[in-house]
Each structure stands twice: as structure tokens, then as C-alpha cells.
Amino acid sequence: MQPSAAVTAPKENHAADAQLGWQGSTVNSVTAAYPAVDIGFVGVTGYLTVGACCGAASDSHVNDRVTAWSGSGILFTSDASFHPTRLGYDASDAALLANL
């Protein structure tokens, strides 16, 4: 992976944007402390374009809330909620491959 320019936090004030800024800052800190480490930040914003609220579930890159009923009648929220779908993981892979 080629060294990347410093990553700055996006100007938008959304939780996801804040997380991207945090991740980019972490990568910048690691590369500053360990220059021999070949690491870089790969943003996926341009690749994960269909969120849980936009479009049919079969086309989404991110799961909506995923639930299941337990045997005792309790509704559980799955750990898969608000995480990438198969299409989302494929889009993330495309982002990584484009940045190698």
C-alpha cells in the first residue's frame, strides 16, 4: 500500500463521519509513530452508496434492524443490525482493491 496523505475529519457532524475522522486520525498516529508500518486509511463513502433506509433490503449495502423471536417470545435485535450486507462487504472490498 502506498503512503497516503494525512486524513482529516469530514466537516459534516454525523456519527458516521465522526467515526471516519477518528479512524483516519488513528491511522495517522500509527504511521507517525511507526513509519516502517505499511498502513493507510481507505474511505468507503463512495463505495457504500445504498444505506439501510435507501431502497429495498436486497439492494442495501447496510442492514436495517435485524430481529428474531426467541423460543420464549422475546424479540431480539441481531448483531447484524446496521452492519454491512454481503453487497456492502463486496463494496468495501472494491474500495480496498482500488487503493492498493
Side-chain angles (χ1 to χ4, degrees):
M1 186 177 286
Q2 297 176 350
S4 61
V7 177
T8 57
K11 291 181 178 23
E12 293 85 11
N13 190 14
H14 301 280
D17 294 329
Q19 183 177 5
L20 289 175
W22 174 82
Q23 291 168 342
S25 296
T26 300
V27 170
N28 291 339
S29 297
V30 170
T31 55
Y34 304 97
V37 173
D38 186 17
I39 187 174
F41 177 81
V42 176
V44 297
T45 306
Y47 294 86
L48 296 175
T49 57
V50 185
C53 298
C54 304
S58 62
D59 296 333
S60 295
H61 292 154
V62 179
N63 287 319
D64 197 350
R65 182 176 178 211
V66 178
T67 58
W69 289 100
S70 72
S72 59
I74 298 172
L75 183 64
F76 287 109
T77 299
S78 168
D79 292 340
S81 297
F82 311 110
H83 283 77
T85 62
R86 178 76 261 156
L87 290 175
Y89 281 114
D90 291 344
S92 296
D93 289 348
L96 176 61
L97 291 173
N99 286 277
L100 291 178

